[in-house]
Amino acid sequence: MNQTLKLGVLDLVPRLGESTFEDTLQQAAELARCAEAWGYHRYWAAEHHDLEHLSCASPEILLSHIGARTERIRLGSGAVLLPHYSPLKVAENFRMLAALYPGRIDLGVGRAPGGSAHTSMALSGNFLGHVADLPNRIRALTELLEDRYRYEDVPVAAKPVPGISPALWMLGTNTKSAGYAAEFGTGYVFGQFMSDTDGAEVLRSYREAFRPSAHLKKPQTIVAVSVICAETEELAREMAAAAARLRQEYSGQLGQDNAARPGQTGGDGQDGQDEQNGHDRQDEHNGHDRHDGGPFPRTLTGTAESVKSVLKQMAEKYESDEFLIVTPVADYAARLKSYQLLMGM
C-alpha cells in the first residue's frame, strides 16, 4: 500500500459561535481557498435542510461560488441527497458545474433525508417511497451522465454536455450503499466517522462486487474521517471537549433528523442520525470518540504526527490511501488551523 496520503476536505458548513449564515458561507469559501493553497486534493460540501447550525441546503450553488474563487482543487458534493430530486436536474446541475470548471467536479450522492420528517415531506413528499426507488434513480443518473437516457423510449439529454464529465461517487456507511456503488460502477466513499460498521469489510465487499462502467474501470475508494489536530495533544483534547459541549447544546434539534426515517437505527447511505447531522459521539474522558465497530476511534485527536500515524494504519487496513477530513471544532480559526497543521503547513 502506498503510504503517501491524499487528503481532502468534507465541509458540513457549520455555523459556529455568533456567525450569521452569510458569515458561514464565506467561511466555507475561505476554507476551500486555504485547502487549495495547502495542497488538499478535494473540497466537498454536505447537504442538510432546515437545521439551525448547518448552512448548506444546496451544495451545487455553494460549489459554483467556490469554483470562481479557486483554481485547481476538485469540488464536489458530500452528498446530494438523491431521493429528494429528479436525476435529470441533478445531472444538469453538475454538468453545468463541470462545464464551468473543467476536470474539477465530483458528484457524490447519498440517500439520507438530511433533515426532519416534516422538512423532508415539504421538500419531496414521500421520502421513504423515494428511497425504495433509489436504484432506479441511480440508474437514470448514470444513463444521463453517459448520454443514453430515454424517457418513454424518447431520448432525453442533460445539458450542457461538458468535455469532462463529473466523477460519480456513492457515499455510505455499510454494504448496502457499497453494493449500489459496485453495481453501477461508481466510486465509493465510506463514512468511517459516522459508522460502527467494519470499514474494511464494507470496502472489500465493494471491490469484490464492482462492475466496470463508462465512469470508472476499476474500483476507487475514499474514507471520510473526523480529525481534530493541534500543536499539542493536550490542546487537541481541549478542542475536542469544547466541540462535544457545543454538540450537546443543540443536540435536541439535530436529533429531530431521526424522525425522518422511522424504524431505522442507522447507517447506510447517510441514513442514521450521526450521518445526517455530521456530529460524533464524544468520549470526553480521553478525547476520542467511541467506535465499537473497529480498531479506530470515531475522531482522531492529537498532533499532526500522531493523527497521520493513525491515518496510515487506516490506509493499510482499508486498502485506501485517500481520506476526506471532517473537523468538528467549535471555533472557526481553530478549525482552519487544524486543517493547516494536518497538511504540515
Side-chain angles (χ1 to χ4, degrees):
M1 168 63 64
N2 179 7
Q3 289 295 293
T4 301
L5 302 177
K6 185 184 290 185
L7 303 182
V9 172
L10 176 56
D11 191 2
L12 303 175
V13 199
R15 190 164 68 92
L16 302 174
E18 300 300 317
S19 297
T20 65
F21 284 113
E22 290 85 351
D23 294 335
T24 297
L25 294 172
Q26 294 310 312
Q27 289 166 356
E30 179 64 16
L31 172 57
R33 287 194 296 266
C34 289
E36 179 176 79
W38 295 332
Y40 281 87
H41 182 59
R42 306 179 197 269
Y43 171 91
W44 284 17
E47 176 184 331
H48 297 91
H49 298 279
D50 192 22
L51 295 179
E52 182 65 22
H53 295 276
L54 297 175
S55 305
C56 184
S58 181
E60 56 270 34
I61 293 178
L62 179 60
L63 296 176
S64 183
H65 173 78
I66 289 173
R69 289 155 177 79
T70 53
E71 297 179 358
R72 301 175 305 280
I73 194 168
R74 292 193 67 91
L75 304 174
S77 52
V80 166
L81 305 178
L82 189 57
H84 287 308
Y85 306 117
S86 155
L88 175 59
K89 188 59 177 174
V90 173
E92 288 175 337
N93 284 341
F94 278 80
R95 278 190 154 187
M96 176 74 82
L97 286 169
L100 289 169
Y101 308 112
R104 297 178 58 194
I105 300 302
D106 298 321
L107 170 50
V109 299
R111 67 189 196 108
S116 71
H118 285 87
T119 298
S120 295
M121 288 186 286
L123 183 61
S124 62
N126 181 4
F127 181 79
L128 292 179
H130 299 328
V131 169
D133 189 51
L134 186 61
N136 291 327
R137 293 184 182 226
I138 300 173
R139 182 176 294 106
L141 182 59
T142 59
E143 290 175 354
L144 284 158
L145 294 176
E146 296 169 10
D147 293 310
R148 57 185 182 86
Y149 178 74
R150 303 177 74 87
Y151 189 88
E152 294 184 345
D153 208 32
V154 176
V156 174
K159 296 181 180 177
V161 180
I164 302 175
S165 184
L168 186 58
W169 295 83
M170 188 79 198
L171 283 76
T173 59
N174 67 33
T175 54
K176 185 146 192 165
S177 54
Y180 288 145
E183 178 183 355
F184 294 103
T186 76
Y188 182 63
V189 181
F190 174 69
Q192 189 273 342
F193 77 103
M194 52 193 177
S195 176
D196 289 325
T197 306
D198 182 359
E201 180 58 35
V202 173
L203 292 169
R204 187 179 304 114
S205 72
Y206 161 71
R207 295 187 187 98
E208 290 176 351
F210 181 82
R211 301 177 186 175
S213 68
H215 302 282
L216 199 61
K217 301 307 178 187
K218 297 180 179 180
Q220 187 173 358
T221 61
I222 302 175
V223 180
V225 297
S226 180
V227 170
I228 295 177
C229 203
E231 289 91 342
T232 67
E233 299 284 340
E234 181 181 7
L235 180 55
R237 287 193 294 269
E238 291 174 0
M239 290 163 58
R245 289 192 295 270
L246 181 67
R247 287 196 292 272
Q248 290 171 356
E249 289 179 11
Y250 56 82
S251 61
Q253 182 202 1
L254 293 174
Q256 295 174 3
D257 291 353
N258 259 354
R261 296 303 305 262
Q264 298 245 346
T265 57
D268 190 32
Q270 291 191 307
D271 287 342
Q273 178 182 341
D274 286 334
E275 293 176 81
Q276 292 158 53
N277 63 41
H279 294 279
D280 315 302
R281 293 172 293 179
Q282 184 77 17
D283 181 349
E284 295 184 25
H285 295 293
N286 61 18
H288 293 293
D289 288 344
R290 299 183 185 93
H291 185 249
D292 298 329
F296 304 109
R298 276 279 181 94
T299 296
L300 309 184
T301 302
T303 64
E305 182 179 0
S306 66
V307 167
K308 283 186 176 180
S309 175
V310 179
L311 287 176
K312 289 177 180 179
Q313 295 174 41
M314 292 177 67
E316 189 70 28
K317 178 175 174 60
Y318 292 165
E319 299 182 41
S320 181
D321 55 14
E322 182 168 358
F323 295 90
L324 283 172
I325 307 299
V326 180
T327 297
V329 172
D331 176 78
Y332 172 70
R335 183 166 172 259
L336 267 185
K337 187 65 174 179
S338 178
Y339 280 109
Q340 183 180 16
L341 289 170
L342 185 61
M343 259 306 193
M345 302 301 291

